[in-house]
Amino acid sequence: MHTRVLATLDYPEVLHRLAAHTVSDAGKRLALALTPDDTVGSVQQNLDRTADAVTLHRLKGGFPITKTVDITPHLKRLAIGATLSGTELAQIGRVLAVAASIKDFFSDFADDDAKNDTPLLRALPALVDQMIDLPEVSRALKRALDEDGTVLDTASSTLQGIRTGMRQTEGAVRTRLEQYTRGAEAKYLTDAIITLRDDRYVIPVKAEYKNRFGGIVHDQSASGQTFYIEPQAVLEMNNRLRQLQIDEKREIERILAELAAMVAPYTEQLKANATILAELDLVNAKAQYAAEIKATEPIIDDQRHVDLIQARHPLIDPHTVVPNDIYLGKDFHTIVVTGPNTGGKTITLKTLGLLELMAQSGLFIPAQEESHVAIYDEILADIGDEQSIEQSLSTFSGHMKNIIKILSVATAKSLVLFDELGAGTDPQEGASLAIAILDYLGAKGPDVVATTHYPELKVYGYNTPQTINASMEFDITTLQPTYRLLIGTPGRSNAFDIAARLGLEPEIVDRAKQLLDGESQNLNEMIGDLENQRKAAETEYHELRHELDEATTLHTQLNSAFEDFLKEKDAQMKKAQQQADQLVDKAQQKADKIIADLRQAQLTGGGGTVKEDKLIAAKTALKNLHSTPSPTNNRVLRREKKKQALRPGDDVQVASYGTTGTLLKKADDTHWEVQMGILKMKVPTAELTKVAAPEDTEPKRHIVNVRNSGPAVSPTLDLRGSRYEEAMHDLDQYMDEALLANYPTVTIIHGKGTGAIRNGVQEYLKAHRQIKSFKYAPPEAGGDGATIVTFK
């Protein structure tokens, strides 16, 4: 991508905001040097890494990327055999420690992620796996160096011994000097303190007593009244301390050289680790920036179809920015955008170009989920005033110079953005030149979005294949742009309407309309009709969307209720099965006992048959083992039970004997007398079933009442193209349907034409008793080509 185009589309400002989220110098440099990629594989890999970072921020609050220093210069010095300072070695140790921490973090996350059916991370684990662990080197550096590079006592036993001796000697020196500062000798001092001069302990002595303590004079005050003297009594101890300091320095140099020699063989691995940490810092910054601007992951479209849903410019205040749907490349490859100045055309161009640059750089974009982006080999833009005083170029010449470069570079896989194409010259010539440029690019095949004021380009967008008109909406009521992009609707001039609303005399406005050529008037009328159709379609869409949402909610609730019913049914069936099994077990035990009693009775009867009364009693006992529940709460069963009520003379089935009989009378509350052949028996009511009467073979008629759930009448009636008599008939029928539908207001579209239908509509509405008022529609909704009716 060309640097000038990136600057034109505000891409560098996005990178500066991205870089603010990095924690290392190397990560910041990567962020500021980030450029869009034009290969699908690379773009997808970068988006996958960003998506992983977003997932980790959502689940874990991020990963442990902390501030590190760029160690690349240190590694270059190691490669030529140089020895590093303690600070430089500590910075290398810091890089190793952060790398180890990140590897441990991803290892732990992978263990948890293994429990999921689908891995949550796509690309970062593979990147982290490329880092090299150097545990021995890391431990040695940590043991020998503090975080600021100070060599620790634990670096070697020799160093520890030297420092122990230094502390002891230093203590002895201070103890001896304190005898001067606290004893009788203190009166010879200008101040009772111990200080250092030339790394040796001294005391401040008054000038007149400088020879009292012997030793060496190391310094003198500016006034000459104080001499800093090392007394003879501590001279030897200071010498010994100085020697220990020299030994310490040599030991530290030896330790640092040893550590540098240990690190030197791993310069390439350390360099790779540092590079990966910078990449991780950048990816982490991308995730944080995505959260800041409420961005989502774009989908790379294999067919190079752009479909940005509610796209927002990332550099505009999110509380004031107006989101827009921008789509391109599927049904059309060129968009001609018209509309008033300051209406948002330029920002719309920049939003499209900038979001494409961001996506191709692996950044999430400020748009709704499921937004699609294309991968372009070049994004070319001519936006802004190209006038150059130094180069003596006019505005038109500056634009043309840039356009010529664009035409020479653009391919079928490019995106070209023109702002005010053909402006800065004679309108007729500029419009012709703009059309010729669009034709040339149409033959090449790139995606093109061009803004313009020329009405000729509106006609071009309407008549040219693979080209569509668009406009920035303008609210004629408030005289303010809404900044909404309307693809499919060309913009129209609102000069007459605005002038009239601002108070210009009506005769002046009418005269201006007469002077406007007929072709322009027809074009504005066509645009007005398109706007009316769009608004009607938008209203119908929102109504249908509301109904669909309600139906979807109801469907979800029914599905949930049905699933709950099935679960409850299964639970009740299992419970009933368990209870049935228990009842069967108990019944089986009782049946076994009855059969055993019968056998015993037969044996005690001498092998004869069992008497009839005992047999009947045994059958009755077996029958009583069956338990029939009585669902009293079921209205259907209660109604059926009422049909089966027993009365004297009814034919019944006697279950215990397997035969039929006739009811004679009710013996008591639980028994009936039944005539079965020549026998009269007293039988429990529970064993009797009324014999069903023959079914009525005559078919029954079922009547179903169907009620309409709501009005199916449109709030708009379009009479254009109808004959006068047909229009009046349709109007009369429609008004009745609208009243039945309880509409408060409706719109009658009659057009202008000869005025016959419009006059007929007016006369009809005047005579209708149910109409409260009627008036012509606002200019943006059709003007005197439509009438808005309000019912009582």
Side-chain angles (χ1 to χ4, degrees):
M1 303 293 173
H2 295 278
T3 303
R4 194 195 63 80
V5 173
L6 298 180
T8 299
L9 296 176
D10 303 321
Y11 182 74
E13 178 59 28
V14 170
L15 296 188
H16 277 92
R17 298 194 180 191
L18 172 66
H21 293 282
T22 58
V23 297
S24 67
D25 294 338
K28 184 175 183 179
R29 283 198 299 271
L30 284 182
L32 294 176
L34 187 64
T35 56
D37 207 321
D38 60 357
T39 58
V40 175
S42 297
V43 173
Q44 187 60 63
Q45 183 186 58
N46 289 330
L47 287 174
D48 287 344
R49 289 178 178 178
T50 305
D52 286 355
V54 169
T55 298
L56 292 174
H57 272 271
R58 176 171 54 86
L59 297 178
K60 300 290 186 179
F63 51 90
I65 184 74
T66 55
K67 185 173 183 178
T68 56
V69 175
D70 185 10
I71 62 171
T72 304
H74 311 342
L75 299 178
K76 290 181 179 179
R77 290 177 57 208
L78 275 179
I80 61 175
T83 299
L84 303 182
S85 67
T87 301
E88 293 169 334
L89 287 169
Q91 290 169 353
I92 292 175
R94 178 65 178 165
V95 169
L96 285 172
V98 173
S101 176
I102 291 177
K103 287 181 71 68
D104 290 342
F105 173 86
F106 276 87
S107 177
D108 294 340
F109 188 88
D111 293 339
D112 295 337
D113 198 15
K115 302 172 185 176
N116 300 317
D117 296 334
T118 303
L120 296 176
L121 303 185
R122 314 176 201 165
L124 281 186
L127 179 63
V128 171
D129 287 343
Q130 296 176 24
M131 289 195 295
I132 304 299
D133 277 334
L134 298 173
E136 293 183 2
V137 175
S138 184
R139 283 194 297 268
L141 293 173
K142 187 175 182 180
R143 183 176 61 249
L145 301 171
D146 200 353
E147 290 186 359
D148 61 357
T150 302
V151 180
L152 301 173
D153 292 355
T154 54
S156 72
S157 57
T158 300
L159 181 62
Q160 188 172 18
I162 291 172
R163 287 181 173 172
T164 300
M166 288 173 62
R167 286 189 290 270
Q168 292 174 350
T169 304
E170 184 180 0
V173 171
R174 295 186 67 88
T175 299
R176 182 68 184 88
L177 290 179
E178 284 175 357
Q179 295 176 3
Y180 297 118
T181 60
R182 296 180 181 178
E185 306 291 340
K187 61 185 178 182
Y188 303 113
L189 307 180
T190 56
D191 199 356
I193 61 171
I194 300 172
T195 185
L196 285 172
R197 288 295 186 273
D198 300 328
D199 292 331
R200 299 176 76 89
Y201 286 100
V202 297
I203 54 177
V205 180
K206 296 178 181 179
E208 58 269 29
Y209 303 113
K210 65 178 181 179
N211 296 322
R212 181 173 181 81
F213 302 98
I216 301 173
V217 176
H218 286 275
D219 199 3
Q220 183 180 4
S221 66
S223 64
Q225 300 300 313
T226 302
F227 286 83
Y228 294 93
I229 296 174
E230 180 183 359
Q232 183 67 36
V234 298
L235 191 60
E236 184 59 32
M237 287 187 288
N238 267 337
N239 288 339
R240 187 162 63 251
L241 179 60
R242 182 59 180 162
Q243 183 60 48
L244 289 172
Q245 291 171 346
I246 294 172
D247 293 343
E248 178 195 33
K249 182 179 179 181
R250 290 174 179 172
E251 180 62 15
I252 288 174
E253 291 174 350
R254 186 194 67 79
I255 292 171
L256 294 178
E258 187 177 277
L259 291 174
M262 178 183 293
V263 172
Y266 304 104
T267 53
E268 291 301 322
Q269 292 89 331
L270 288 169
K271 183 178 180 180
N273 280 6
T275 301
I276 294 173
L277 286 178
E279 289 283 351
L280 291 174
D281 188 12
L282 175 60
V283 170
N284 183 63
K286 289 180 179 180
Q288 293 183 355
Y289 185 54
E292 177 186 325
I293 63 174
K294 295 180 174 57
T296 62
E297 180 181 5
I299 298 173
I300 299 176
D301 197 297
D302 295 336
Q303 304 299 318
R304 289 198 311 111
H305 297 161
V306 176
D307 186 7
L308 300 178
I309 307 171
Q310 295 295 283
R312 297 171 280 110
H313 196 288
L315 303 180
I316 299 178
D317 185 348
H319 297 96
T320 59
V321 66
V322 176
N324 276 304
D325 294 338
I326 306 174
Y327 44 96
L328 177 67
K330 183 178 181 181
D331 299 322
F332 45 84
H333 289 278
T334 300
I335 302 177
V336 178
V337 186
T338 53
N341 288 328
T342 70
K345 299 191 300 297
T346 303
I347 287 297
T348 302
L349 280 184
K350 287 189 173 184
T351 299
L352 171 60
L354 182 56
L355 265 59
E356 278 290 337
L357 291 174
M358 291 174 64
Q360 292 185 216
S361 301
L363 291 165
F364 280 16
I365 61 174
Q368 287 188 5
E369 294 182 352
E370 302 299 320
S371 291
H372 288 234
V373 295
I375 302 300
Y376 294 109
D377 60 356
E378 290 285 354
I379 297 179
L380 306 165
D382 178 57
I383 299 175
D385 191 353
E386 297 294 331
Q387 184 172 356
S388 172
I389 297 177
E390 293 180 359
Q391 298 178 12
S392 300
L393 295 177
S394 67
T395 298
F396 177 75
S397 300
H399 278 294
M400 286 310 303
K401 185 176 181 181
N402 191 31
I403 290 172
I404 291 170
K405 292 180 181 178
I406 290 175
L407 296 180
S408 64
V409 173
T411 69
K413 296 181 179 180
S414 301
L415 172 64
V416 181
L417 306 173
F418 290 127
D419 189 25
E420 299 298 342
L421 181 61
T425 186
D426 177 78
Q428 291 185 344
E429 293 181 355
S432 300
L433 191 59
I435 292 173
I437 290 172
L438 292 179
D439 280 340
Y440 178 82
L441 289 174
K444 271 196 168 186
D447 290 340
V448 181
V449 182
T451 69
T452 181
H453 281 295
Y454 296 139
E456 292 88 347
L457 265 69
K458 301 175 187 178
V459 179
Y460 175 85
Y462 189 79
N463 294 326
T464 307
Q466 296 292 309
T467 304
I468 192 169
N469 278 305
S471 62
M472 304 307 297
E473 189 178 51
F474 187 84
D475 190 342
I476 190 63
T477 304
T478 62
L479 302 182
Q480 294 292 329
T482 66
Y483 306 107
R484 290 183 57 207
L485 176 66
L486 305 177
I487 295 179
T489 303
R492 64 170 177 165
S493 173
N494 296 293
F496 295 153
D497 296 331
I498 294 173
R501 285 188 60 82
L502 292 176
L504 187 64
E505 293 296 331
E507 57 267 24
I508 299 177
V509 176
D510 293 339
R511 175 58 179 162
K513 289 181 179 179
Q514 293 173 5
L515 293 174
L516 189 66
D517 62 79
E519 184 177 349
S520 297
Q521 290 189 35
N522 293 336
L523 179 62
N524 281 332
E525 288 180 2
M526 177 193 74
I527 295 172
D529 289 342
L530 287 174
E531 287 183 351
N532 291 334
Q533 294 175 19
R534 178 190 62 79
K535 291 183 178 180
E538 187 174 9
T539 300
E540 184 177 359
Y541 167 77
H542 287 303
E543 292 175 353
L544 292 175
R545 186 68 190 178
H546 178 68
E547 294 177 3
L548 177 61
D549 291 342
E550 289 184 342
T552 302
T553 301
L554 179 59
H555 178 70
T556 302
Q557 293 174 348
L558 288 175
N559 276 342
S560 177
F562 183 65
E563 290 178 359
D564 293 341
F565 165 75
L566 292 179
K567 292 178 181 178
E568 182 64 22
K569 175 186 173 184
D570 292 340
Q572 292 296 336
M573 288 293 292
K574 290 180 181 178
K575 183 178 179 181
Q577 184 65 42
Q578 293 173 354
Q579 294 176 347
D581 291 342
Q582 295 173 359
L583 292 173
V584 169
D585 292 340
K586 293 179 179 178
Q588 185 65 46
Q589 294 174 5
K590 293 181 179 180
D592 291 342
K593 186 176 185 304
I594 293 170
I595 293 172
D597 291 344
L598 286 174
R599 289 178 179 172
Q600 183 64 30
Q602 189 174 14
L603 292 174
T604 57
T609 59
V610 179
K611 293 182 179 181
E612 184 68 20
D613 60 338
K614 290 187 176 181
L615 182 60
I616 292 174
K619 288 184 177 181
T620 301
L622 286 171
K623 180 63 180 175
N624 287 338
L625 295 178
H626 295 276
S627 176
T628 303
S630 178
T632 58
N633 291 330
N634 192 315
R635 288 185 296 174
V636 177
L637 293 180
R638 288 203 304 270
R639 187 165 57 248
E640 192 63 29
K641 184 176 180 181
K642 187 176 181 180
K643 290 181 182 179
Q644 297 295 331
L646 301 178
R647 298 178 181 84
D650 288 346
D651 293 331
V652 295
Q653 179 77 24
V654 184
S656 56
Y657 299 102
T659 184
T660 60
T662 304
L663 296 179
L664 298 178
K665 63 178 181 180
K666 195 169 185 179
D668 52 44
D669 291 341
T670 59
H671 292 80
W672 282 80
E673 284 189 5
V674 183
Q675 181 75 44
M676 293 181 290
I678 61 173
L679 295 177
K680 291 182 180 179
M681 299 292 296
K682 186 178 180 181
V683 181
T685 305
E687 298 183 10
L688 303 176
T689 305
K690 188 175 180 179
V691 177
E695 294 184 1
D696 187 2
T697 58
E698 182 180 353
K700 297 181 180 179
R701 298 174 60 195
H702 298 277
I703 300 176
V704 179
N705 292 324
V706 180
R707 181 169 59 88
N708 192 358
S709 61
V713 183
S714 171
T716 303
L717 173 64
D718 192 347
L719 298 176
R720 291 175 297 180
S722 302
R723 300 173 63 87
Y724 180 87
E725 292 78 12
E726 180 183 359
M728 293 301 102
H729 176 269
D730 291 345
L731 174 63
D732 185 66
Q733 182 177 1
Y734 173 78
M735 296 303 289
D736 292 339
E737 293 173 348
L739 283 168
L740 291 175
N742 291 323
Y743 280 136
T745 62
V746 296
T747 301
I748 310 299
I749 301 175
H750 41 65
K752 301 177 182 179
T754 62
I757 294 180
R758 176 176 59 187
N759 295 333
V761 169
Q762 298 287 322
E763 294 299 322
Y764 174 89
L765 296 178
K766 289 178 182 178
H768 203 293
R769 296 182 178 180
Q770 298 297 324
I771 293 176
K772 180 179 180 181
S773 64
F774 59 92
K775 61 182 179 179
Y776 287 131
E780 70 273 11
D784 58 357
T787 299
I788 298 176
V789 181
T790 304
F791 293 108
K792 293 182 178 178

